[in-house]
Amino acid sequence: MTQRILFLYLTKHSGHYAAAVAIDDAARQLDPSVQTMLLDSFSHTNPVLSKVTLKAYLTILKAAPEIWEFMYDNPEFKERTAKIRELLNRGSSKKLQRVLADFQPDAAVCTQAFACGVIASWKQATGNDSPALVGVLTDFVAHRYWAHEKVDLYIAPSEETKQTLISQGVPPERIKAHGLPVGEKFTSPVDKAAVLKTLGLKPDLPKVLVMGGSLGLGPMKSVIRKLDKLPQPFDIIGVTGKNDELKERLSRKGRKLRHHTTILGFVENVHELMSIAEMVVTKPGGITAAEALVKQLPMIIINPIPGQEAKNTEFLLSQNVAVEAGNANDVMLYVDEFFRNPEKLRRMREAARTLSRPQAADRAAEAILRVLAAKRDAVFAATPGGA
């Protein structure tokens, strides 16, 4: 009997999307007969509102980040916006119902809380037990919007996060602490010499990777300018994501720098760039951080977004796999310190190796397939003549 899995994420080229792809790949490797569909839940159900929301989100982060900090994981805000979220869920569920009717998934796997809430609310309102609903957390913390009685399984990043979900009313047997899922390419060997040759970089110099996420956020220009002041010989690799304007400005700037500086836009080979780097200056998105951990790459965190990224930062600092820079000058000082004290880098790499969960996507896929098997067996047993 063919099993169907619907993956719901929020925004392509995001950590939510990368997590969905990683588990999708793992599930199809474990069971080649499984049929899957990946869907951007918000863009599909509310295409106009999706664009407006993204623009408003970026505006808030730039102009008044404290507003987002207030909204994030705030029980009072959650209670006050309950009716608004219910209306959004109703509107979204109508389009998702058509997807459910057409694709008829046995499981809906959500890598973002909005989609998970929509399916959970729909199941509660209709009394439907199918599809099985799986929530996959893509940050190191669990905010209150995740918890819902109609979620059959949670894939959590750690035992600590599992305890948080339990404190929010989730039964412990519904939570598996398998880690944050990363793509298989992050766990596979990389031909570093070939990567260096493709980028036109010398193998004898250390590389500092500077990333601004998929949207190219953060003070990348200031960071690169400050790094160029350091006396040690090293190369800089900057990744601006979808921010084409920033890529163009940094490319022009890079030609005037003393240190060899390579500026890239949106790339599909972050796993290769992380493999050749000594350290990464980055925003602490959950999946990006998990990828860096698998690559045993020390992180210099700068400008975390209030809310999920700030919480991720707290966790990563507590595990000694990252340091936090308040500004571009602090980044320069940390890089200088790491070059002068390679033992500190070695200890951070070892801590990252211990903390990483390279097989998280496989474990998540196994858990999802087990839920499907249990559901199938229950239906079979309830069928006359099936037991």
Side-chain angles (χ1 to χ4, degrees):
M1 178 180 173
T2 300
Q3 301 281 2
R4 294 183 177 87
I5 304 175
L6 173 64
F7 289 92
L8 297 171
Y9 60 90
L10 187 66
T11 310
K12 198 169 183 180
H13 307 308
S14 66
H16 309 298
Y17 174 71
V21 170
I23 301 176
D24 175 36
D25 289 342
R28 287 187 288 107
Q29 286 190 30
L30 289 168
D31 182 0
S33 70
V34 73
Q35 293 183 14
T36 64
M37 174 189 291
L38 281 80
L39 188 69
D40 183 333
S41 56
F42 204 16
S43 290
H44 179 77
T45 58
N46 296 284
V48 176
L49 185 59
S50 174
K51 294 179 181 178
V52 172
T53 301
L54 177 59
K55 188 174 182 179
Y57 171 67
L58 294 175
T59 300
I60 289 174
L61 291 183
K62 292 178 181 178
E66 66 275 5
I67 294 178
W68 179 252
E69 186 174 22
F70 170 79
M71 294 165 58
Y72 178 82
D73 202 23
N74 184 323
E76 180 183 351
F77 183 80
K78 180 183 178 182
E79 183 177 345
R80 288 185 177 184
T81 58
K83 290 185 178 180
I84 296 174
R85 285 185 286 109
E86 183 181 349
L87 289 173
L88 279 173
N89 285 351
R90 286 178 185 175
S92 299
S93 67
K94 291 179 181 179
K95 287 190 175 181
L96 283 179
Q97 281 179 54
R98 289 196 285 271
V99 175
L100 296 176
D102 292 340
F103 186 60
Q104 297 185 358
D106 299 287
V109 178
C110 303
T111 59
Q112 203 277 337
F114 169 78
C116 194
V118 171
I119 300 295
S121 296
W122 174 76
K123 288 180 68 174
Q124 189 169 48
T126 60
N128 285 331
D129 191 42
S130 183
L133 181 54
V134 182
V136 179
L137 278 68
T138 54
D139 288 298
F140 291 99
V141 291
H143 56 66
R144 289 172 175 81
Y145 298 99
W146 273 110
H148 199 291
E149 62 182 289
K150 288 300 181 179
V151 178
D152 298 281
L153 173 68
Y154 289 92
I155 306 297
S158 66
E159 288 295 333
E160 291 83 357
T161 315
K162 178 178 179 177
Q163 292 304 315
T164 300
L165 288 169
I166 292 172
S167 72
Q168 295 170 359
V170 179
E173 64 272 15
R174 294 188 183 183
I175 312 167
K176 301 298 181 184
H178 290 320
L180 297 179
V182 302
E184 183 183 16
K185 57 189 177 183
F186 284 90
T187 65
S188 302
V190 168
D191 186 341
K192 296 182 182 180
V195 176
L196 292 169
K197 183 177 180 180
T198 299
L199 293 173
L201 298 175
K202 297 178 180 179
D204 56 336
L205 292 180
K207 320 296 178 208
V208 178
L209 179 60
V210 182
M211 300 174 62
S214 62
L215 299 175
L217 300 177
M220 290 185 64
K221 184 177 179 181
S222 299
V223 166
I224 291 174
R225 186 172 64 247
K226 286 290 185 179
L227 290 180
D228 196 53
K229 295 180 180 296
L230 291 174
Q232 299 93 336
F234 64 94
D235 294 331
I236 301 171
I237 304 172
V239 181
T240 65
K242 292 290 185 177
N243 194 332
D244 294 333
E245 181 184 350
L246 178 62
K247 178 187 176 185
E248 179 60 29
R249 281 194 281 121
L250 290 180
S251 295
R252 290 197 302 268
K253 179 72 175 177
R255 291 191 287 268
K256 303 174 185 177
L257 299 178
R258 293 184 299 117
H259 292 285
H260 188 285
T261 302
T262 301
I263 302 300
L264 306 171
F266 179 80
V267 297
E268 298 282 2
N269 67 330
V270 171
H271 62 295
E272 294 180 338
L273 301 180
M274 285 186 171
S275 295
I276 64 173
E278 296 295 319
M279 63 197 83
V280 60
V281 182
T282 184
K283 296 176 63 59
I287 299 302
T288 295
E291 292 166 350
L293 290 176
V294 169
K295 286 297 181 181
Q296 300 174 34
L297 187 62
M299 288 171 266
I300 301 174
I301 295 171
I302 185 167
N303 279 26
I305 295 171
Q308 66 271 34
E309 289 192 358
K311 294 294 185 181
N312 286 342
T313 299
E314 291 177 10
F315 174 78
L316 295 167
L317 295 179
S318 72
Q319 301 299 311
N320 300 313
V321 296
V323 294
E324 184 179 7
N327 51 45
N329 193 67
D330 287 347
V331 172
M332 179 185 69
L333 295 176
Y334 274 125
V335 172
D336 182 59
E337 179 186 357
F338 288 156
F339 280 141
R340 295 177 187 276
N341 185 5
E343 176 59 20
K344 185 169 184 177
L345 269 185
R346 189 199 66 77
R347 291 197 300 268
M348 291 177 71
R349 285 187 180 276
E350 180 58 28
R353 185 193 66 78
T354 301
L355 188 62
S356 67
R357 300 283 191 95
Q359 303 306 317
D362 291 334
R363 301 291 84 80
E366 289 169 356
I368 292 165
L369 292 175
R370 282 197 296 270
V371 167
L372 290 181
K375 290 263 186 183
R376 182 183 56 204
D377 292 345
V379 171
F380 182 73
T383 303

